[in-house]
Amino acid sequence: MRRRGAGRVAVAALLGVNLVLPTRPEPVAAAGFVEAYPVTAAAMRAAGPPYADWAADGRRFLTFDTRGDGRAVEVFGDLAGADRIAVLVPGVGSTLADFDRGLGGVARRAPAVQAGQLYRELRATAPAARVAVLAWLGYDPPDGVLTAAGGGSARRGAAGLVVLLRELAARRPAATITLVGHSYGALVVSLAAADAPVQVTDVVTLGGVGAGVQHADDLPGRRRFWAAEAPSDWIRRVPAVRLLGLGFGRRPGDEAFGARPLPVGGVAGHDGYLAPGSATLVAAATVVLGGFDAVALGGSDAVVLGGSDAGRGGDAR
């Protein structure tokens, strides 16, 4: 609990200062959110283990598709009633087979685990807020760094993500949406933000490989752009170059990019940003909840959050 409290204090200083088909994209839930759940549950039961177990456990999916590397979009919380929505996009190597167990069997790498951690942090921070988190494996990420260099997967993923965002905006016009991209997923959410509806207010990158532009101000729209990059993250060794259509340019975590920095205390390596006890997890939840107002008490780590509507919004869903 002490470590959790320290994380909440650390985040606010920085926030206060900076305050299911082969041919994608397609509508992810054209029939509606609630209506999609029994359809995907039936598909998971038909697919057998482990997916049938997901359905038996009552987990809810907007998309489930076993073809190729697979697709899955899992919903945490009541999406139909949410006022604050976060969409988490994973990076290179993510497949349906690893959606729940993580690359190499490492749970902290799993999109479902990361989205679940963020959802639980949101509920712990603001129990009365109506929140939902989506683990969005709605595209085919590259299999490795070399195949990722061209950025084609990111562009296709961004186009598919925009379809979902417009659907969310149409069904929840009063909600605010935060995009959270990890690694290569940072490029996907940054590209999607260019065509996203106004309900998308914030873009958060975690160990981001690039954003498709050289500076945060080059991104269209009036969205807040945040970045976390831990000192121990190997992404720092990726060259910040773009030549003949290859490469991603300056990393969002590079100070010269101009993103609003998020704290990285307690983050180990490339996959620990949303792990329990990390300051970045607390920060990401604060961004989703709109907690930008803060009063510095002195020093870079001493702050009290205030002026946010993070705890409002009626009963928890």
Side-chain angles (χ1 to χ4, degrees), residues 245-313:
L246 299 177
F248 313 108
R250 190 173 285 146
R251 299 186 317 278
D254 187 331
E255 184 177 352
F257 183 80
R260 304 178 184 207
L262 294 177
V264 293
V267 176
H270 186 58
D271 303 299
Y273 291 97
L274 296 179
S278 91
T280 307
L281 174 61
V282 178
T286 304
V287 171
V288 173
L289 293 167
F292 306 111
D293 297 333
V295 179
L297 301 179
S300 60
D301 294 331
V303 169
V304 173
L305 286 174
S308 140
D309 60 353
R312 304 182 195 129

Side-chain angles (χ1 to χ4, degrees), residues 192-300:
D195 296 314
V198 295
Q199 285 81 359
V200 176
T201 58
D202 295 87
V203 177
V204 175
T205 66
L206 309 174
V209 70
V213 295
Q214 289 297 101
H215 196 277
D217 290 342
D218 296 333
L219 291 167
R222 299 176 59 84
R223 312 184 204 280
R224 292 173 289 261
F225 197 102
W226 309 82
E229 185 176 273
S232 58
D233 191 341
W234 59 259
I235 203 74
R236 288 172 172 260
R237 298 194 295 272
V238 174
V241 298
R242 183 165 180 79
L243 181 65
L244 300 178
L246 299 177
F248 313 108
R250 190 173 285 146
R251 299 186 317 278
D254 187 331
E255 184 177 352
F257 183 80
R260 304 178 184 207
L262 294 177
V264 293
V267 176
H270 186 58
D271 303 299
Y273 291 97
L274 296 179
S278 91
T280 307
L281 174 61
V282 178
T286 304
V287 171
V288 173
L289 293 167
F292 306 111
D293 297 333
V295 179
L297 301 179
S300 60

Side-chain angles (χ1 to χ4, degrees), residues 21-51:
L21 298 170
T23 54
R24 270 83 176 191
E26 78 278 357
V28 175
F33 303 143
V34 175
E35 295 91 334
Y37 299 149
V39 176
T40 54
M44 286 186 283
R45 288 192 294 270
Y51 311 117

